[in-house]
């Protein structure tokens, strides 16, 4: 008889799992007996991997869907099935990435999401896991997005899981939907749900001193900024110019201030300027000012230009200005996501003449996770995340959360998926 799908019980059966403490003597396969009983509901007695607690067989998953623009539905799905190497996480916070502006308003999907599968950022508690890993049920974890193969260039070199071939469509990867497919699971590959499936390799245990609220900034806000600035080598005393401020730009700003760099914000949104002032940013330049470039240079050492610039907009309006304001041999980071936007680039004039390094990277490199999480213990970082997270909603009010994101009168928005 094949092993049962986890909690995928049907019919009137009793599954008796082997007792706790006998893991080394017994094989990895569960010992199981099946009895037909006259009970209105299936019964499960689980003595292994659940600390002696009786599991609820009625447990299911609740998944956020956006069937059409401006309308969401919470849909009941089966509790996730999970293979060895994966865990089921009870998600507590799923931060909103571009689900508001891209999916809620435009119903525009990328290869890794669709109307019934949303969300990739998140933190939560391990709810189910096979024995033999370094994690335990009840561990609080950050979920770094995507699948993990362990054998590609990215996995072998501690780079971002977004670049693992199991996530890349050009390499046959299927990303988050691929996690569900690989586990033969009808739910759980995505963050905006009560329960989520994730590879153990992309889980990071959260220190007791760090609240979920701060840990949830480790994906597409502070996490992306921190990891990109590790590559850029942003150091104390450097000047970092950030243009087009959304939650990615704010994540970069928190990272730059944590590193004791000087931040200049090139921006116009008054609401978000107010947030940056509360974070401690002192220098603001309006890109529509005629002398915007002179204003920036006047804030840099001997008028050289900024050491690093970061684009959070994804559009040429900011990108061209950021390149122009960066000093010789400086770094230009592209962190903004605007599908379809293009910039005219002359390798001679934009790269060779100024000796600029142009770079960009989705997500957080595996090798940066520990120092990223260490930063969360810093009270100044916590204060800045408190400012960045302007709105928190229960998942049952996801529409209101997405509307706020579309308004741009916000920083980062968190969805509480258990509410
Ligand atoms: Zn994201
Ligand atoms: Zn890989």
């Amino acid at each position: 008889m094949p092993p049962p799908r986890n909690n995928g019980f049907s019919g009137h059966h009793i599954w008796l799992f082997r007792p706790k403490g006998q893991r080394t003597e017994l094989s990895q396969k569960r010992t199981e007996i099946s009895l037909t009983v006259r009970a209105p509901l299936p019964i499960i007695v689980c003595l292994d991997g659940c600390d002696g607690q009786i599991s609820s067989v009625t447990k299911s998953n609740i998944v956020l869907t956006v069937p059409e623009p401006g309308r969401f539905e919470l849909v009941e799905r089966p509790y996730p099935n999970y293979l060895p190497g994966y865990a089921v996480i009870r998600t507590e916070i799923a931060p909103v990435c571009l689900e508001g502006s891209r999916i809620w308003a435009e119903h525009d999907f990328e290869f890794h999401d669709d109307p019934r599968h949303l969300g990739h950022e998140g933190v939560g508690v391990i709810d189910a896991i096979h024995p033999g890993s370094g994690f335990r049920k009840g561990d609080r974890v950050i979920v770094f997005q995507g699948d993990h193969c362990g054998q590609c260039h990215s996995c072998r070199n501690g780079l971002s899981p977004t670049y693992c071939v199991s996530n890349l469509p050009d390499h046959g990867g299927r990303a988050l939907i691929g996690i569900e497919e690989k586990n033969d699971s009808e739910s759980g590959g995505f963050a905006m749900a009560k329960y989520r499936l994730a590879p153990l390799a992309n889980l990071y245990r959260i220190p007791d001193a760090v609240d979920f609220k701060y840990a949830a900034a480790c994906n597409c806000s502070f996490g992306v900024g921190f990891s990109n600035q590790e590559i850029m080598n942003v150091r104390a005393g450097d000047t970092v110019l950030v243009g087009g401020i959304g939650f990615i730009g704010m994540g970069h700003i928190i990272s730059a201030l944590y590193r004791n760099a000087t931040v200049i914000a090139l921006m116009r949104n008054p609401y978000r300027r107010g947030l940056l002032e509360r974070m401690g940013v002192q220098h603001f330049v309006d890109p529509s000012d005629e002398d915007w470039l002179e204003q920036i240079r006047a804030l840099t050492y001997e008028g050289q230009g900024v050491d690093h610039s970061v684009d959070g907009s994804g559009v040429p309006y900011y990108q061209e200005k950021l390149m122009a304001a960066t000093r010789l041999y400086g770094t230009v980071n592209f962190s903004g996501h605007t599908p379809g936007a293009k910039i005219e680039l002359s390798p001679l004039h934009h790269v060779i003449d100024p000796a600029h390094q142009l770079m960009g990277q989705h997500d957080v490199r595996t090798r940066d996770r520990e120092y990223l999480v260490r930063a969360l213990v810093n009270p100044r970082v916590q204060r800045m995340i408190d400012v960045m997270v302007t709105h928190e909603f229960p998942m049952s009010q996801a529409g209101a959360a997405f509307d706020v994101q579309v308004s741009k009168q916000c920083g980062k928005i968190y969805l509480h998926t258990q509410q």
Side-chain angles (χ1 to χ4, degrees):
M1 179 184 294
R5 289 164 57 114
N6 295 288
N7 291 327
F9 303 98
S10 59
H12 300 159
H13 294 102
I14 295 173
W15 297 101
L16 178 63
F17 292 170
R18 62 191 162 78
K20 205 174 171 86
Q22 295 187 11
R23 293 173 186 165
T24 50
E25 290 82 13
L26 297 176
S27 75
Q28 287 295 312
K29 282 190 178 174
R30 288 169 163 163
T31 306
E32 59 200 44
I33 55 171
S34 174
L35 299 172
T36 301
V37 295
R38 293 168 189 268
L41 286 170
I43 299 166
I44 176 171
V45 179
C46 177
L47 300 174
D48 180 26
C50 63
D51 300 327
Q53 294 174 349
I54 306 297
S55 297
S56 165
V57 290
T58 55
K59 203 184 237 182
S60 61
N61 202 357
I62 300 293
V63 174
L64 179 74
T65 66
V66 177
E68 57 188 73
R71 186 169 72 82
F72 79 96
E73 271 178 29
L74 297 178
V75 176
E76 187 168 3
R77 306 289 296 158
Y79 185 82
N81 187 48
Y82 63 105
L83 294 173
Y86 291 82
V88 180
I89 292 92
R90 192 183 77 234
T91 298
E92 293 295 331
I93 298 173
V96 177
C97 194
L98 297 176
E99 288 81 8
S101 48
R102 176 166 63 83
I103 293 175
W104 180 251
E106 311 284 336
H107 227 228
D108 175 25
F109 296 92
E110 295 182 347
F111 73 92
H112 56 79
D113 50 27
D114 63 59
R116 296 173 67 80
H117 299 92
L118 304 170
H120 51 267
E121 306 181 31
V123 292
V125 176
I126 292 180
D127 191 67
I129 189 167
H130 291 281
S133 81
F135 292 98
R136 298 185 58 153
K137 183 179 173 180
D139 280 349
R140 301 161 67 243
V141 291
I142 300 163
V143 182
F144 288 98
Q145 67 190 55
D147 206 355
H148 174 85
C149 80
Q151 293 300 320
C152 69
H153 178 77
S154 180
C155 286
R156 286 172 175 154
N157 289 278
L159 305 178
S160 160
T162 296
Y163 300 93
C164 167
V165 296
S166 62
N167 293 312
L168 295 173
D170 290 349
H171 296 261
R174 295 274 291 151
L176 302 174
I177 194 74
I179 292 176
E180 288 189 6
E181 292 167 352
K182 200 184 285 184
N183 285 273
D184 191 21
S185 184
E186 294 182 53
S187 77
F190 294 78
M192 292 180 179
K194 288 203 169 188
Y195 295 100
R196 176 179 189 177
L197 270 172
L200 303 184
N202 288 342
L203 301 181
Y204 190 103
R205 191 181 294 113
I206 302 169
D208 292 343
V210 175
D211 287 351
F212 277 135
K213 180 176 187 181
Y214 305 122
C218 282
N219 300 117
C220 304
S221 56
F222 181 48
V224 167
F226 184 93
S227 190
N228 275 277
Q229 291 188 15
E230 285 292 299
I231 301 170
M232 296 160 74
N233 194 23
V234 175
R235 297 177 300 185
D238 286 353
T239 300
V240 180
L241 174 67
V242 184
I245 311 288
F247 51 82
I248 296 277
M250 289 182 202
H252 268 281
I253 285 168
I254 294 171
S255 173
L257 293 175
Y258 171 63
R259 292 161 195 267
N260 290 319
T262 298
V263 169
I264 305 169
L266 185 67
M267 67 185 300
R268 291 181 292 204
N269 181 320
Y271 177 90
R272 289 179 174 166
R273 174 176 172 149
L275 298 180
L276 300 196
E277 286 172 349
R278 287 167 55 201
M279 286 184 192
V281 176
Q282 296 178 343
H283 307 294
F284 296 88
V285 174
D286 184 333
S288 52
D289 284 351
E290 258 183 38
D291 63 343
W292 64 270
L293 185 56
E294 288 71 32
Q295 290 181 48
I296 291 170
R297 286 191 175 142
L299 293 166
T300 65
Y301 181 70
E302 293 187 333
Q304 291 177 345
V306 299
D307 303 296
H308 311 279
S309 57
V310 175
D311 172 53
S313 74
V315 295
Y317 178 80
Y318 281 102
Q319 291 163 342
E320 288 168 354
K321 290 179 173 60
L322 294 167
M323 289 195 285
T326 303
R327 69 158 164 78
L328 301 177
Y329 280 96
T331 315
V332 182
N333 175 283
F334 296 92
S335 284
H337 296 210
T338 303
K342 288 186 177 156
I343 186 168
E344 209 162 288
L345 189 81
S346 158
L348 176 60
H349 297 305
H350 291 112
V351 183
I352 301 171
D353 283 348
H356 279 173
Q357 293 185 56
L358 311 186
M359 60 84 59
Q361 177 206 232
H362 291 291
D363 209 356
V364 177
R365 297 186 305 180
T366 305
R367 65 170 76 166
D368 298 328
R369 288 175 185 170
E370 181 172 327
Y371 279 84
L372 167 64
V373 175
R374 278 190 188 202
L376 299 177
V377 181
N378 182 295
R380 188 176 174 211
V381 170
Q382 293 187 357
R383 274 200 303 277
M384 291 190 280
I385 293 172
D386 282 334
V387 173
M388 178 182 73
V389 181
T390 53
H391 298 79
E392 299 184 60
F393 290 90
M395 191 166 70
S396 57
Q397 294 176 23
F402 296 150
D403 282 338
V404 170
Q405 190 188 50
V406 172
S407 78
K408 296 190 176 179
Q409 303 300 299
C410 58
K412 189 74 173 173
I413 300 169
Y414 283 178
L415 282 188
H416 289 265
T417 47
Q418 298 299 319
Q419 300 171 16

